[in-house]
Amino acid sequence: MTRYVIKRRDAGIPRIDYRAELNAEQLAAVTAPGGPLLVIAGAGSGKTRVVTYRVAWLVEHGTDPSRILLVTFTNKASREMLRRVEGLLHADLRRLWGGTFHHIGNRILREHAPALGYPEAFSILDAEDARDLIRSCVRDAGIDTRAYRFPRPELIQDVLSLSINTEAPLADLIATQYRHFETLTGQIVEVTERYRKRKLQDGLMDYDDLLFNWRRLMAEKPEVAAYYGRQFEHILVDEYQDTNRMQADIIDRLAVHHRSLMVVGDDAQSIYSWRGADFNNIYEFPRRYADATIFRLERNYRSTPQVLELANASIACNERQFTKILHAERGPGPLPALIAARDVFEQADFVVSRLLELRDAGLSLNEMAVLYRSHYHSMELQVELLRRGVPYLVRSGVRFFEQAHIKDVLAYLRLVNNPRDELAWLRALKLLAGIGPQTAHLIYENLSPAADLPDRLRDSATTALIPARSLTGWRGFVDLVSDLHQKGVKDSPSAQIERVLQGPYAEFLRSSYANAEARLEDIRQLAQFAGRYPATGDFLNEVCLLGHERFSMRDGVYGEDVVEGSVEDEQVVLSSVHQAKGLEWRIVMVLWLADGRFPTARALKDAASLEEERRLFYVAVTRARDELYLCYPLLARERSRNVILTPSPFIEEVSASLLDRWLIETEPVEDPRCE
C-alpha cells in the first residue's frame, strides 16, 4: 500500500512570531508535538490565547483545517476563536470543524441518523415542543394527574436530562434527589419510555439526544467511529473541566486513532457538578492517557499579587487537584478586605456605601460586581440599591422580587390584605390544578363582595364553581386562606409567609421545578426579611414601591441620584458566582461568606462537595482585578430566631496576614440645633 500525503502549498511558511507573542508556558503548550496534552490553565492565564494559537500553529505546520476538531462550550466562543485564528493567518477556516458538542453532534447525525433508525431530515425539538410531547405521553399513559400531583412536563424534562447527562438510571436519580416522587417512579419511567419511542417514531430529537445519539452512534457503529477517528487528526477541547461523562467518552472514542488530543481547562474552576459536569474527567485524564504531557499556565495577567495570594492559599486546601501557583504579572494593590457586618442590613449598607465611594473616586459602576453563592443572598442588597437609587443589573436571573415563586407567595398575602385585589386572586387561583383564567375570574366575582372571606370560600355557591378535579386542591387553598386570617398571623407578614410554606404551595413547587429546594429557600429568606415589618400592609407597600416608585424599569433600575450626569446604562453587576465564571471586574465584592451559607451547610457534610465549594470561592476571588471585598453578617434570622454566624471556613483556613480586616462604624448624625 502506498501512502500519499497532500502537502499544502503554504506549509512551512510561518507568519506568526510565536516566541514574541506568547510567554514561555503558553509557547510550550502551543508548539507541543502531537499526543495527549493536558493544559491546566489557571485563572487569567491566557487559556483562549493558547487554544487560538494552537490552531494557528497546526494550520501553519501543514494540517488541513478540515482535519481539526475544536470543541467549545458555546458557539460564540468557537466563532471568536476562529475569528482570531483567521486574523492571525489571514486565511479562510470555514472547513475547520468548530462548535459546541451539540453543534458537532448535530452535524454528524445529519449524515448518519438512518443508522439509528432516524431520518436524515430529523427535526430538533425546542424546549417548549419537548414539554408538549411529554405532556402528550402523560395523557397516552392514562395517568390521572387530577387524582394526585404528578410532576409537570417541565420537571420530567429536567430530571430526564440530568439522568442522561450524568448517566444515572432514572429510578436511582428519583430515589436520591426527588424522593417526594419515589412512589411515582414506575409511571415516570413509563412516560419517559413513551417519550423516547414517540421521538424515534416521529423522527424527532431533543437537545440531549444530539449527544446521546452521537455517543450511541460511536458505540454501535464502529465503522462510523473509525471514519471520524481518522478524519480528526487533531482534537482540541476547551473548558474540559465542565464536560460530563458522555462528552468525555465521545472525545476518547474520536481520539483513539491519532491520539493527538489537547484538552484545556482548570480543575480549580470545576463548579458545575449539579449540572452533570464530572470533575473526574479532567482530574483522571493522566490515568486514561498514561503518556499525556501536562502543561501548567500559572502567569496571571488579570489580578494583583494580593488577590492571587489569597486565591492560591485557599485552593491549596483542596486535596484532589493539579497543584499550581498563580503568579501576578501586574503590580501590587491593596489587601483583600474582610468585613464583618452586624447583620444582613448593615452588610447591604456597607456594600452600597462603598460602591458609591468608588464611583465618586472616578470608577464606573460597570467596573464593579457583587457576587454571592445563592440568589437569595442578594435580596437585602437589591432593596438597598433601590432605596439609594443605584442602578444595577442582575446576571443570575431576574430581580429577587420579580421571580415567579416570590410573586406567587406575595399574591397570597395581597389577597388577604386586600380582598378586592383581583390580580392577586387570579394568580393564586390559577396555581390550583384544573382552574384556568375563566374559572378563576368567576370565583373572584363571587367572592368580591364578601365581608367574611373564609366563610364565603366554603359556602355552596363558591364550591359549585369549582371543577370536580380541583376540589382537593381547593380545600387546601381554603384552609390556607383561613389560616392567613387568624389572629397573630394576619398582621405578621413573616408568619403568613411561613404558613404558605407549610401549605400546598411547597408541594406545587416540588412538582413543578427541578430547583424547587432553592426556590423554597428563597421563600424562607423572604419570611426572615419580612420580619422587620410590623404589618403585612407595610411590607407589601414597601415591596411594591421599591419596584416602581421613582424608578424606570428599562433594562435595569435607574435611580435619579446616580443617573443624573452619568454614563447611560452604567450599572453595577449582581451575579451568582456560577454565572460570573469567565468574567472579571476591577472591583469585586462577595456576600454572605459565613459558615453554612458559603459553603452551604449541606456541603460541609461531604468532602467532595466541600472541595467544589472551595473551587467556587476560588472562582469568586479570581474575578477581581484590583480590589476584593469579602463580607459576612454576624447575625441572621433563621426560623423566627436570631443566630450568630461565624466566618466561612474558607476565610478561617487562610493566614490572617492575607486579609485586611475592616471595622464598620456608623457616622453620627449631626443635630442641627447645635449649630
Side-chain angles (χ1 to χ4, degrees):
M1 178 181 292
T2 302
R3 185 167 180 259
Y4 181 82
V5 178
I6 300 177
K7 297 179 180 178
R8 291 185 55 224
R9 293 182 181 273
D10 56 349
I13 312 175
R15 299 185 177 93
I16 305 168
D17 187 347
Y18 293 90
R19 290 187 180 278
E21 299 189 28
L22 302 170
N23 67 37
E25 296 173 346
Q26 296 167 341
L27 181 66
V30 165
T31 61
L37 309 174
L38 171 60
V39 181
I40 302 298
S45 62
K47 169 182 66 68
T48 300
R49 192 173 185 83
V50 166
V51 176
T52 300
Y53 276 78
R54 175 66 175 179
V55 173
W57 171 271
L58 293 173
V59 173
E60 277 204 336
H61 287 76
T63 303
D64 189 307
S66 67
R67 308 292 301 278
I68 299 174
L69 173 63
L70 171 61
V71 186
T72 60
F73 267 76
T74 66
N75 284 314
K76 179 181 178 182
S78 175
R79 288 193 299 269
E80 176 61 19
M81 287 183 185
L82 295 181
R83 184 190 65 78
R84 291 189 190 183
V85 177
E86 288 178 340
L88 291 169
L89 297 175
H90 305 289
D92 185 352
L93 295 180
R94 281 179 292 182
R95 290 190 300 155
L96 187 148
W97 287 61
T100 65
F101 278 96
H102 296 86
H103 174 84
I104 302 297
N106 176 55
R107 184 172 173 181
I108 290 176
L109 288 169
R110 290 296 170 188
E111 296 291 329
H112 304 282
L116 299 177
Y118 288 87
E120 287 184 8
F122 65 85
S123 299
I124 300 177
L125 294 168
D126 63 20
E128 184 177 353
D129 290 337
R131 289 193 291 269
D132 288 342
L133 185 56
I134 292 173
R135 189 175 291 108
S136 175
C137 292
V138 172
R139 261 194 322 269
D140 293 345
I143 296 172
D144 185 3
T145 58
R146 297 171 297 180
Y148 46 82
R149 195 174 286 283
F150 194 75
R152 291 170 62 179
E154 294 90 334
L155 182 55
I156 294 177
Q157 186 180 26
D158 287 338
V159 176
L160 178 59
S161 178
L162 186 60
S163 170
I164 291 171
N165 284 287
T166 59
E167 298 188 332
L170 190 62
D172 292 351
L173 197 61
I174 293 172
T176 56
Q177 297 191 37
Y178 301 91
R179 293 178 183 173
H180 44 287
F181 290 131
E182 199 164 4
T183 58
L184 305 175
T185 298
Q187 291 172 301
I188 295 172
V189 171
E190 180 186 356
V191 167
T192 59
E193 182 60 19
R194 285 177 178 270
Y195 176 60
R196 183 190 65 80
K197 291 179 178 177
R198 280 286 301 276
K199 287 185 294 181
L200 184 60
Q201 171 190 311
D202 297 345
L204 306 171
M205 292 192 199
D206 62 22
Y207 192 64
D208 291 317
D209 288 329
L210 297 176
L211 277 187
F212 181 81
N213 285 330
W214 181 13
R215 202 271 296 274
R216 184 178 151 218
L217 180 71
M218 301 285 288
E220 297 179 7
K221 306 296 177 182
E223 69 280 7
V224 176
Y227 171 80
Y228 286 103
R230 291 190 297 270
Q231 165 73 26
F232 299 129
E233 186 178 343
H234 296 280
I235 301 172
L236 298 91
V237 184
D238 189 25
E239 300 286 7
Y240 190 69
Q241 78 281 346
D242 294 334
T243 55
N244 60 36
R245 291 183 183 179
M246 189 159 45
Q247 291 165 332
D249 185 51
I250 288 171
I251 293 300
D252 288 346
R253 291 175 185 273
L254 288 174
V256 72
H257 185 76
H258 292 290
R259 290 181 60 78
S260 183
L261 167 64
M262 172 184 277
V263 299
V264 184
D266 185 3
D267 60 300
Q269 297 187 67
S270 178
I271 57 174
Y272 296 117
S273 65
W274 51 276
R275 216 162 60 181
D278 192 341
F279 173 78
N280 290 312
N281 289 345
I282 191 168
Y283 185 66
E284 296 182 354
F285 186 86
R287 297 182 188 177
R288 300 204 314 279
Y289 294 89
D291 56 338
T293 304
I294 301 177
F295 299 89
R296 288 174 170 81
L297 306 183
E298 299 176 305
R299 293 170 65 176
N300 177 284
Y301 294 88
R302 175 188 301 156
S303 306
T304 64
Q306 288 73 18
V307 169
L308 296 184
E309 285 172 9
L310 175 62
N312 288 332
S314 176
I315 202 64
C317 297
N318 272 7
E319 293 185 7
R320 300 182 76 225
Q321 64 167 311
F322 294 102
T323 304
K324 61 181 176 301
I325 299 176
L326 295 179
H327 304 283
E329 293 295 311
R330 295 185 53 202
L335 284 173
L338 178 63
I339 300 95
R342 183 175 60 253
D343 54 28
V344 293
F345 304 107
E346 187 173 77
Q347 177 181 244
D349 191 8
F350 164 78
V351 168
V352 178
S353 296
R354 186 60 181 152
L355 290 173
L356 291 176
E357 282 180 351
L358 291 165
R359 186 179 179 279
D360 289 342
L363 275 71
S364 167
L365 290 176
N366 294 331
E367 298 179 296
M368 310 178 203
V370 183
L371 308 181
Y372 35 82
R373 173 64 181 82
S374 301
H375 193 39
Y376 75 81
H377 288 167
S378 70
M379 178 172 55
E380 292 83 9
L381 176 62
Q382 290 192 46
V383 170
E384 189 64 21
L385 288 166
L386 285 165
R387 279 178 175 158
R388 297 173 67 172
V390 181
Y392 68 93
L393 172 68
V394 180
R395 287 188 58 91
S396 53
V398 298
R399 293 178 181 80
F400 186 85
F401 293 104
E402 294 174 8
Q403 297 177 103
H405 53 292
I406 299 299
K407 294 179 75 171
D408 288 345
V409 171
L410 293 178
Y412 289 113
L413 273 63
R414 286 168 52 193
L415 66 85
V416 172
N417 186 66
N418 175 17
R420 296 185 179 182
D421 188 336
E422 181 178 1
L423 293 178
W425 276 104
L426 296 183
R427 186 179 188 99
L429 289 169
K430 285 188 290 185
L431 293 172
L432 301 177
I435 293 184
Q438 186 174 356
T439 303
H441 185 72
L442 289 174
I443 296 171
Y444 169 75
E445 288 291 321
N446 183 67
L447 294 173
S448 58
D452 192 330
L453 190 58
D455 288 345
R456 188 60 178 268
L457 286 169
R458 289 188 171 89
D459 71 19
S460 58
T462 305
T463 306
L465 298 171
I466 310 303
R469 61 177 179 163
S470 305
L471 283 173
T472 301
W474 172 254
R475 295 187 188 101
F477 174 76
V478 172
D479 289 342
L480 172 60
V481 174
S482 297
D483 288 349
L484 295 179
H485 275 83
Q486 288 180 359
K487 186 177 180 181
V489 175
K490 185 175 182 179
D491 289 326
S492 169
S494 180
Q496 286 186 308
I497 295 170
E498 291 284 0
R499 178 61 188 88
V500 172
L501 275 172
Q502 297 164 12
Y505 187 69
E507 188 58 33
F508 165 78
L509 287 179
R510 292 191 177 100
S511 65
S512 303
Y513 301 105
N515 65 340
E517 290 307 317
R519 291 173 184 257
L520 288 168
E521 185 59 34
D522 282 347
I523 297 170
R524 294 186 192 103
Q525 295 302 318
L526 179 68
Q528 303 303 332
F529 176 77
R532 66 191 296 216
Y533 294 90
T536 300
D538 296 334
F539 169 65
L540 293 173
N541 289 340
E542 180 81 344
V543 171
C544 178
L545 291 174
L546 284 171
H548 296 282
E549 188 177 273
R550 297 173 52 232
F551 302 113
S552 161
M553 301 301 288
R554 181 179 65 84
D555 294 332
V557 180
Y558 293 83
E560 58 192 18
D561 297 335
V562 171
V563 172
E564 183 178 355
S566 70
V567 178
E568 185 179 2
D569 295 337
E570 183 184 349
Q571 299 167 305
V572 61
V573 169
L574 274 57
S575 175
S576 69
V577 183
H578 286 102
Q579 293 286 341
K581 183 175 173 291
L583 303 175
E584 61 183 68
W585 295 270
R586 289 186 63 181
I587 309 297
V588 169
M589 300 186 177
V590 187
L591 300 182
W592 277 96
L593 276 166
D595 195 11
R597 303 305 201 278
F598 191 173
T600 64
R602 190 184 314 164
L604 293 169
K605 302 175 183 177
D606 176 71
S609 297
L610 183 60
E611 291 211 343
E612 179 160 338
E613 290 283 302
R614 189 177 286 108
R615 295 195 293 268
L616 192 63
F617 176 66
Y618 174 87
V619 169
V621 168
T622 53
R623 298 312 92 199
R625 289 162 52 197
D626 297 343
E627 297 183 27
L628 175 65
Y629 299 83
L630 307 175
C631 310
Y632 70 97
L634 292 168
L635 189 68
R637 293 282 293 175
E638 190 173 279
R639 288 174 172 78
S640 302
R641 62 189 179 90
N642 288 326
V643 293
I644 303 296
L645 299 179
T646 57
S648 167
F650 304 150
I651 298 296
E652 298 284 74
E653 66 195 9
V654 300
S655 171
S657 65
L658 299 178
L659 297 166
D660 180 13
R661 294 179 182 267
W662 286 29
L663 178 64
I664 296 179
E665 295 181 353
T666 303
E667 188 176 64
V669 178
E670 293 184 4
D671 190 337
R673 293 173 298 179
C674 297
E675 295 182 359

